Amino acid sequence: MLLSFTTSSEDPISGGRHKVLGSRALNIPPQTSTIASHLPKAVGAAYSIDLSRRLKPEHQDYPQDAIVYCSFGDASLNHSTAQGALNAAGWSTYRRAPLPLLFVCQDNGIGISVKTPPGWVCDSLAHRPGLAYAGCNGLDVVATYATTKQLAEQIRRSRKPAVLHMRCVRLYGHAGADVQQAYLSQAEIEAAEANDPLLYTARRLIEEGVCSHDEVLDLYLETEGRVARAAEDVIARPGLRTAAQVMSSIVPPARPVSSAPPPEQSAREALFGGPDMRAVNEAQHLAKLINFALTDLMLQYREILLVGEDVGRKGGVYGVTQKLHGRFGAHRVVDTLLDEQTILGLAIGLGQNGFLPMPEIQFLAYLHNAEDQLRGEAATLPFFSNGQYANPMVVRIAGLGYQRGFGGHFHNDNSLAVLRDIPGLIVACPSNGRDAVLMLREAVRLAREEQRVVVFVEPIALYMTRDLHEDGDGGWMHRYPAPGQESVRLGEVNVVGEGHDLAIVSYANGFFLSLQARKALKDEHGLDARVIDMRWIAPLPKASLLEATAPCECVLIVDECRRTGSQSEALMALFAEHSEQATARIAAHDSFIATGPAYASTLPSRDGIVDAALRLCREDQSLERGSS
Ligand SMILES: Cc1ncc(C[n+]2csc(CCOP(=O)(O)OP(=O)(O)O)c2C)c(N)n1
């Protein structure tokens, strides 16, 4: 703990990155400062334990008789994340899902300065559905030990969650800079100090004849000396200095995995069934191809689990996970309760115990009330544990704009800014079914072998799109690439055309529209453009983009996300820093998306791309004429 408090690079858990507590040897993952954000993953970890008996993931971390311990303070109990996790634990019990989980509320009666109303914690926790309750006085170590042990045994036996409400005192204010005299009376401070657990326990040892007064004092002084010597020692230990040192654990280490050959044809036939097996050999739209890819991946890797709202029997809002529930069962295609924090927390806990979760967020706009689970939890775990812990997963999110007549902003959110700036997070965004299959396989490889957290954004408006240029041309339908044959690697972009006049850089719907614009530019204006699908939003595929655009006179960036904070800002900077080409961008307006006839009015259009391309190329030519 002293190595942690002094941020020594020898700190066994964080390697000097933060004063977080944890231990690989004792299986205590480090927790970030965000209060209550660890409760959802505690639910996920507990859920993973009994599931691991059935599915035995290759990288299982917890023994099958383990229980999960998760503590939090009395003020933190009020956080919506805590409430959501307690609710999810109770809900799971009603669904008869085994959940060996012990919550402990350490109730010292105060947050930083705001007091918890007397009786609140007990009344709030004692009668929760699906959650057993016990209380104890933390000052009394003997009773606390007995109550905890009894509760732990009950949880281990019943596989049902419980909460221990432990009352305790707070000494010396919340943190170094917190002066408790500002909000507590002298009498309150003295009352807490009179109940200093050390003095209380010492008093009890003497009163009950376990130790003499002198023996207690000797123990105290001997311990104080030992701590002082250790403190002197750790102060001299090295700390982190350089950016490279700090950043070395943002990306977790790769891990050895057993080879898992692509699924046998006979197994596929049995699972897909006749009609779908025929469909596998015909061109299909994006939604169907993702469904096929998920089926083959789940067949290949037993540790893949789908979790989300409506992913099961219904097969997802857009039918992407249709039939998977029937194919793999309710324990691998899990219909969760309606809470995005729980969905992502479930995935984090499952990932930590060797599963490969694929949580689904129904719509991009609904990621936002749970984004801290990615930002503050999933993405930071390798960082704060010096690469000792990871929670690999592939998060599928349906998103972006252009849905005709459905839902306005909430079902057409067009900003990925919240994902792009998270260190270590990979953001993939396919534009078509073929790419989606190959990129999904790469996403699973990245999670399984490299322990990465991958967010896979699926453009809803293209799910069922069949045609590219005109009705019935089938230009957006693709044949399913058979498992194990082809691949798209992280950072690999797709280049369509070999034109030198102009490079259009885009992704998702923008790529689709840019291909239409390319045809118009060629047919109507004799301009030869190539169109580049970035495929990967983060990390930005810089080298591939520069290489793909290098032969072209000009570069036009087409970005369907809101102008401010969009990928186009990073792309403009990339080309400004690395190329001499005339570069311009069109992006969505800084607006929310309307529903009704104006649904696409704030977004780039085919005609808008054509206009911008012509403008850019003309300006470039006149500049050239001017300079010559
Ligand atoms: C989400 C979030 N909001 C605010 C804070 C700042 N903060 C840190 S600890 C704390 C009070 C926690 O009180 P309690 O849960 O009773 O635990 P205690 O510190 O008393 O053990 C606050 C507000 C935080 N860390 N996380």
Side-chain angles (χ1 to χ4, degrees):
M1 288 166 80
L2 286 172
L3 286 166
S4 166
F5 298 153
T6 53
T7 60
S8 163
S9 52
E10 292 173 7
D11 166 32
I13 192 64
S14 82
R17 286 180 184 78
H18 209 298
K19 298 173 191 177
V20 285
L21 299 182
S23 162
R24 193 68 185 89
L26 299 175
N27 217 348
I28 305 171
Q31 306 307 326
T32 61
S33 162
T34 314
I35 53 102
S37 68
H38 59 302
L39 271 71
K41 72 176 175 187
V43 175
Y47 182 77
S48 78
I49 289 174
D50 282 47
L51 201 61
S52 70
R53 297 181 188 198
R54 191 195 271 250
L55 291 172
K56 297 196 181 21
E58 183 178 3
H59 298 279
Q60 182 177 340
D61 204 14
Y62 312 141
Q64 282 166 8
D65 66 342
I67 71 169
V68 173
Y69 171 98
C70 172
S71 65
F72 54 93
D74 50 295
S76 305
L77 167 65
N78 302 300
H79 202 280
S80 62
T81 314
Q83 293 290 321
L86 293 165
N87 180 65
W91 188 87
S92 304
T93 313
Y94 274 58
R95 289 268 301 237
R96 300 187 192 289
L99 209 69
L101 170 59
L102 173 59
F103 286 119
V104 177
C105 180
Q106 301 176 345
D107 177 7
N108 60 17
I110 194 162
I112 293 179
S113 66
V114 179
K115 289 180 194 165
T116 295
W120 171 248
V121 174
C122 177
D123 288 353
S124 166
L125 286 178
H127 307 290
R128 283 198 172 248
L131 206 57
Y133 170 91
C136 68
N137 174 9
L139 276 180
D140 184 340
V141 289
V142 178
T144 297
Y145 178 79
T147 311
T148 312
K149 192 162 184 284
Q150 187 261 326
L151 211 52
E153 277 163 8
Q154 175 190 317
I155 293 167
R156 214 184 292 277
R157 212 175 37 249
S158 69
R159 322 304 290 169
K160 287 184 183 160
V163 58
L164 175 64
H165 173 198
M166 188 192 83
R167 290 174 303 283
C168 55
V169 292
R170 187 186 82 178
L171 303 174
Y172 316 130
H174 172 74
D178 174 43
V179 182
Q180 57 180 346
Q181 279 81 356
Y183 51 83
L184 288 182
S185 68
Q186 192 59 25
E188 285 169 320
I189 293 170
E190 280 171 10
E193 294 207 353
N195 272 333
D196 179 330
L198 212 53
L199 296 178
Y200 183 98
T201 309
R203 200 182 309 135
R204 195 157 165 209
L205 287 172
I206 295 164
E207 279 169 10
E208 297 190 19
V210 181
C211 297
S212 70
H213 182 275
D214 287 349
E215 281 169 336
V216 169
L217 203 57
D218 284 349
L219 184 61
Y220 179 84
L221 292 173
E222 191 266 324
T223 308
E224 187 192 31
R226 204 145 46 94
V227 173
R229 283 192 300 280
E232 286 298 331
D233 185 34
V234 296
I235 281 172
R237 299 295 176 126
L240 298 175
R241 288 279 175 268
T242 66
Q245 288 172 339
V246 171
M247 293 168 69
S248 64
S249 63
I250 289 177
V251 171
R255 64 183 174 188
V257 289
S258 63
S259 77
E264 299 275 337
Q265 189 59 14
S266 54
R268 298 181 70 214
E269 279 169 14
L271 206 63
F272 275 103
D276 266 354
M277 209 60 227
R278 279 191 295 283
V280 165
N281 297 315
E282 294 158 6
Q284 301 290 342
H285 56 52
L286 171 68
K288 196 79 178 163
L289 289 174
I290 295 176
N291 178 276
F292 292 162
L294 288 171
T295 304
D296 274 327
L297 285 164
M298 291 185 74
L299 200 54
Q300 190 171 2
Y301 305 114
R302 279 165 55 88
E303 60 266 40
I304 292 185
L305 305 175
L306 302 190
V307 294
E309 295 149 12
D310 305 310
V311 296
R313 279 181 187 278
K314 178 174 163 62
V317 176
Y318 295 94
V320 175
T321 55
Q322 253 169 20
K323 299 189 188 167
L324 296 175
H325 186 265
R327 287 173 186 158
F328 297 102
H331 59 288
R332 290 190 65 196
V333 184
V334 185
D335 268 327
T336 64
L337 80 178
L338 211 172
D339 175 20
E340 283 73 17
Q341 298 210 75
T342 295
I343 293 168
L344 294 177
L346 197 57
I348 296 172
L350 286 163
Q352 268 183 233
N353 198 19
F355 287 100
L356 206 166
M358 296 183 76
E360 182 189 285
I361 301 292
Q362 252 174 22
F363 290 96
L364 182 56
Y366 308 139
L367 168 69
H368 301 300
N369 63 40
E371 72 199 33
D372 177 58
Q373 289 297 309
L374 286 182
R375 176 176 290 270
E377 287 290 340
T380 63
L381 186 65
F383 182 72
F384 286 124
S385 67
N386 205 14
Q388 297 172 86
Y389 280 100
N391 35 217
M393 68 176 80
V394 179
V395 187
R396 293 181 42 252
I397 308 180
L400 302 175
Y402 295 100
Q403 280 185 95
R404 200 188 294 257
F406 181 64
H409 165 68
F410 298 101
H411 304 97
N412 290 272
D413 191 6
N414 64 328
S415 175
L416 300 172
V418 75
L419 296 167
R420 280 180 54 225
D421 73 335
I422 301 179
L425 196 79
I426 295 172
V427 184
C429 187
S431 64
N432 64 81
R434 193 188 135 70
D435 273 12
V437 171
L438 300 176
M439 290 167 69
L440 200 55
R441 290 177 190 157
E442 171 69 349
V444 165
R445 188 197 68 75
L446 287 162
R448 184 169 172 265
E449 296 177 13
E450 301 186 20
Q451 307 200 80
R452 304 295 294 268
V453 177
V454 185
V455 176
F456 198 81
V457 181
E458 299 168 7
I460 300 171
L462 296 172
Y463 268 151
M464 317 281 173
T465 299
R466 292 168 176 269
D467 305 323
L468 173 57
H469 296 296
E470 53 200 56
D471 284 354
D473 71 7
W476 218 242
M477 308 261 281
H478 295 86
R479 290 282 294 272
Y480 179 63
Q485 287 185 357
E486 298 160 75
S487 67
V488 166
R489 302 292 280 201
L490 174 64
E492 218 176 282
V493 302
N494 180 24
V495 186
V496 175
E498 293 170 356
H500 282 52
D501 296 334
L502 171 72
I504 305 179
V505 176
S506 193
Y507 60 93
N509 296 283
F511 175 68
F512 175 80
L513 294 170
S514 298
L515 287 180
Q516 294 178 342
R518 173 175 178 263
K519 186 170 182 323
L521 288 166
K522 179 81 181 149
D523 295 351
E524 296 160 29
H525 305 279
L527 204 76
D528 210 357
R530 63 177 64 189
V531 184
I532 297 152
D533 184 349
M534 291 165 62
R535 289 178 170 151
W536 307 96
I537 305 293
L540 209 60
K542 292 181 185 167
S544 318
L545 286 173
L546 291 172
E547 190 188 328
T549 53
C552 300
E553 305 270 320
C554 323
V555 179
L556 177 67
I557 295 154
V558 176
D559 193 337
E560 63 189 277
C561 279
R562 291 196 286 275
R563 195 172 180 79
T564 302
S566 69
Q567 294 63 256
S568 65
E569 291 182 338
L571 290 167
M572 287 301 286
L574 175 74
F575 290 109
E577 285 166 2
H578 296 281
S579 92
E580 304 276 286
Q581 292 143 306
T583 307
R585 64 168 170 152
I586 49 174
H589 290 279
D590 282 329
S591 166
F592 302 110
I593 288 178
T595 196
Y599 74 97
S601 61
T602 52
L603 301 169
S605 66
R606 186 202 83 130
D607 293 348
I609 299 169
V610 171
D611 289 348
L614 292 174
R615 236 182 359 259
L616 175 65
C617 293
R618 282 193 200 118
E619 274 169 21
D620 185 49
Q621 278 168 5
S622 62
L623 274 180
E624 268 181 23
R625 272 199 301 277
S627 63
S628 63

